[in-house]
Amino acid sequence: MIALQGVSKVYPARREGHTVCALDEITLSVQAQEVFGIVGQSGSGKSTLLRLINHLEAPTEGTVEVAGVDLAQLSLRARRAQRRRIGMIFQDFNLLANKTVFDNIALVLSLEGRRRRSQRDRVMEVLDYVNMADRAHQHPIQLSGGEQQRVAIARALVTDPAVLLCDEPTSALDPQHTDDVVEILSQVRRDLGTTIMLVSHELELVKTLCDRAAILEAGQLAGITEVSAPEARETYASYSERARTYLGPKEEQA
Amino acid sequence: MSQEQGFFQSLSRSIAQYQDEMVASIVETGIMLGASLIAALLVGLPMGTWMYLSRKNGPSPSGGIYAVLNAYVNIVRSVPFLLFVVALIPFTRWLVGTSFGTAAASVPLAFVAVALYARWVEQTLLDVPRRVVDLAHVLGASTFGMVTRFLYPEARSGLVLSLTTVTISLISYSTIMGVVGGGGVGDFAMRYGYQTYETEIMYTAIVIMVVAVMLIQATGTFISRRLDKRIR
Ligand SMILES: Nc1ncnc2c1ncn2[C@@H]1O[C@H](COP(=O)(O)OP(=O)(O)O)[C@@H](O)[C@H]1O
Ligand SMILES: [Mg+2]
């Protein structure tokens, strides 16, 4: 589904000084419906690798193909259309602050040229999928981080993308909200068969969600591993339950 | 009779006497401001947006375009305004057929309005987080779509506030338009206050301008707050 062939990325020098080689000769491929992790320390090139896949960054060398299409070869217009087949979510959610939840998602359909009337049902459908339908008319500032990320996932899914790119999707969230997001991403892979590429420095998250993971070190591919299934993960209904279990089972009477 | 009473009596007498001219001067200022603000929106907004897009590290960098637009903005803002008005007279005459009167006075004012607002628009758009541009790309927006559906909505409260600031600067610029017969409140104050020593009338005109500026600022701030959903 995704194939990188000898991909390098060199950023021009920010000021005076040396150029940054963010990725060096990366070759890897991701199967359809696979959940593929990318781990590595901060600055190892994870985000750059992800941004090459929807051509937010152009590779300095090598080719990147998604579903057999190399975005670098397309006209601007065709590339824009192709990009909408690739969903993306970010660490900081990246919702437009001045638009409601509903309008944040409807915007994507407007860009596809869908009429206002036919947008409504589809928007509510994806909002329902992430359990945010009742918040459709609120603004992002009124939502918690976890809720904002759920809306961002809905926005990424509204075009039925074949590929979903996730850049540190839980790094700004507390554990309880992380669970919500993990739950939805598992649900996405189960229900929709979306190919997911997940960047994170949190190994636990990658272990929970991914089939395989690439390890990056200073822009180089240090290996690709099969992820072994984690021990049954405890899920908690609430933050207080998680805290109680984690901190110690003995309870004083309140 | 106290001194104070005397002042107010002579004030109301002067106002009654010059009421018509005062109203006419307010209308003249309104026309000059209105025309320049329309120019600011129709030309300054796209120009500032283009500067934002074409600048180095902008979404579609182009050194040439940026240099030209930037030169316009800097030149118009740096030439002393009185000199600029005079220097522009041939163009004004060509454009509106005369170099005298309110319509003619609106021309140099419009040039300034465009330059001031273009710079503000550029700066306001720079305050929009870069990730919004990324998002527009991810969602496959064209450059036009990025500007109208992503940047303007996110920057809208800043765009309103900066238009407010431009309006207020223009009031100040417009006061010298008497030199080309543009009239306006400023010219009115000069004619009656300075030249014929009707001090009360001059202060009345000044008060009118101060109140106008306060109202414009309050309106701008109010609208901008209403548009801003970034804060609860
Ligand atoms: N736009 C850019 N310009 C210059 N250097 C960059 C840019 N983006 C990232 N880099 C550099 O590339 C390297 C990899 O960055 P990144 O892919 O963001 O790493 P990670 O996501 O693993 O933290 C870092 O050294 C970073 O400073
Ligand atoms: Mg990163």
Side-chain angles (χ1 to χ4, degrees):
Chain A
M1 191 59 161
I2 302 171
L4 280 74
Q5 188 65 49
V7 171
S8 299
K9 175 69 190 181
V10 179
Y11 288 111
R14 275 200 170 123
R15 295 239 169 100
E16 308 285 289
H18 301 288
T19 56
V20 180
C21 180
L23 289 176
D24 188 16
E25 296 268 335
I26 306 287
T27 298
L28 60 80
S29 61
V30 178
Q31 306 307 308
Q33 312 209 346
E34 192 175 18
V35 180
F36 191 88
I38 299 163
V39 299
Q41 287 181 306
S42 173
S44 56
K46 305 183 296 297
S47 296
T48 302
L49 180 53
L50 206 63
R51 292 163 63 88
L52 285 166
I53 293 170
N54 57 2
H55 212 271
L56 273 184
E57 306 285 354
T60 314
E61 260 175 74
T63 56
V64 180
E65 284 187 3
V66 179
V69 178
D70 182 353
L71 267 71
Q73 304 296 324
L74 299 178
S75 68
L76 279 179
R77 176 185 277 270
R79 187 187 298 162
R80 290 199 294 264
Q82 196 64 25
R83 269 192 182 138
R84 278 187 226 114
R85 309 264 71 86
I86 306 174
M88 189 173 198
I89 60 175
F90 307 83
Q91 176 170 355
D92 52 13
F93 328 127
N94 213 349
L95 300 176
L96 296 183
N98 282 336
K99 290 187 187 290
T100 61
V101 164
F102 184 94
D103 287 338
N104 262 282
I105 298 173
L107 170 63
V108 186
L109 298 177
S110 301
L111 289 168
E112 285 199 312
R114 289 231 332 223
R115 300 204 172 280
R116 195 81 187 154
R117 270 167 159 271
S118 73
Q119 290 176 9
R120 203 183 165 278
D121 291 345
R122 178 62 184 150
V123 173
M124 292 317 290
E125 191 182 353
V126 285
L127 276 177
D128 206 36
Y129 188 73
V130 298
N131 270 319
M132 290 295 292
D134 53 335
R135 313 296 286 275
H137 296 292
Q138 296 190 328
H139 283 91
I141 191 75
Q142 295 166 286
L143 309 180
S144 73
E147 290 164 342
Q148 290 191 46
Q149 194 61 293
R150 274 147 65 189
V151 174
I153 294 173
R155 177 178 64 192
L157 293 178
V158 75
T159 54
D160 255 323
V163 174
L164 179 62
L165 308 175
C166 312
D167 193 352
E168 305 269 6
T170 62
S171 300
L173 303 177
D174 62 37
Q176 191 62 39
H177 286 136
T178 297
D179 281 356
D180 291 350
V181 169
V182 168
E183 181 57 38
I184 287 172
L185 289 177
S186 326
Q187 192 184 318
V188 167
R189 81 171 295 189
R190 205 172 51 232
D191 303 347
L192 309 176
T194 313
T195 306
I196 299 179
M197 211 150 167
L198 174 80
V199 161
S200 185
H201 64 271
E202 293 168 58
L203 296 176
E204 196 199 353
L205 178 71
V206 173
K207 181 129 179 150
T208 312
L209 282 170
C210 298
D211 304 312
R212 289 191 302 151
I215 303 162
L216 283 184
E217 208 170 83
Q220 306 213 327
L221 190 58
I224 297 179
T225 60
E226 300 263 341
V227 177
S228 53
E231 300 113 56
R233 203 162 171 286
E234 308 217 24
T235 53
Y236 302 98
S238 70
Y239 179 81
S240 58
E241 197 187 316
R242 164 199 281 276
R244 213 174 286 134
T245 316
Y246 184 77
L247 295 175
K250 274 195 211 150
E251 244 187 293
E252 293 176 17
Q253 290 304 314
Chain B
M1 193 194 274
S2 78
Q3 220 179 347
E4 207 175 302
Q5 255 181 328
F7 174 77
F8 281 116
Q9 266 177 5
S10 88
L11 177 65
S12 58
R13 215 180 310 120
S14 312
I15 291 179
Q17 188 181 347
Y18 292 114
Q19 197 177 351
D20 290 349
E21 278 129 291
M22 206 180 272
V23 169
S25 76
I26 292 174
V27 171
E28 284 157 0
T29 299
I31 290 170
M32 289 189 286
L33 284 190
S36 338
L37 287 177
I38 289 171
L41 281 174
L42 291 185
V43 184
L45 180 63
M47 191 185 247
T49 307
W50 214 7
M51 288 169 73
Y52 165 83
L53 294 171
S54 64
R55 62 182 282 136
K56 194 164 157 253
N57 299 327
S60 36
S62 160
I65 292 173
Y66 187 78
V68 170
L69 300 178
N70 193 45
Y72 170 84
V73 167
N74 282 343
I75 290 170
V76 171
R77 290 189 316 161
S78 58
V79 177
F81 187 53
L82 195 52
L83 198 59
F84 183 69
V85 172
V86 176
L88 209 64
I89 282 178
F91 177 79
T92 306
R93 191 175 288 140
W94 172 79
L95 188 71
V96 291
T98 167
S99 61
F100 202 79
T102 308
S106 303
V107 174
L109 214 50
F111 272 82
V112 171
V114 166
L116 292 178
Y117 197 47
R119 181 63 86 204
W120 274 110
V121 168
E122 180 199 18
Q123 300 299 322
T124 305
L125 292 178
L126 281 173
D127 283 341
V128 176
R130 186 66 197 205
R131 57 187 168 79
V132 172
V133 174
D134 277 351
L135 180 67
H137 285 138
V138 166
L139 298 180
S142 61
T143 303
F144 183 77
M146 174 172 78
V147 168
T148 56
R149 294 175 188 274
F150 293 78
L151 294 172
Y152 286 172
E154 289 299 275
R156 62 192 188 185
S157 54
L159 292 174
V160 168
L161 271 189
S162 45
L163 190 64
T164 309
T165 305
V166 169
T167 310
I168 289 169
S169 306
L170 289 176
I171 291 184
S172 173
Y173 279 107
S174 75
T175 54
I176 68 149
M177 279 316 188
V179 293
V180 290
V185 183
D187 180 47
F188 176 83
M190 296 280 255
R191 260 186 295 145
Y192 292 96
Y194 183 64
Q195 287 160 9
T196 69
Y197 303 103
E198 308 237 21
T199 330
E200 301 97 334
I201 283 301
M202 180 177 71
Y203 285 122
T204 306
I206 290 173
V207 167
I208 288 175
M209 284 193 279
V210 170
V211 170
V213 166
M214 280 163 47
L215 281 178
I216 290 167
Q217 184 63 59
T219 309
T221 308
F222 175 78
I223 295 175
S224 134
R225 286 239 179 87
R226 287 294 292 266
L227 290 176
D228 193 351
K229 306 293 183 189
R230 289 170 300 183
I231 38 181
R232 236 179 266 243

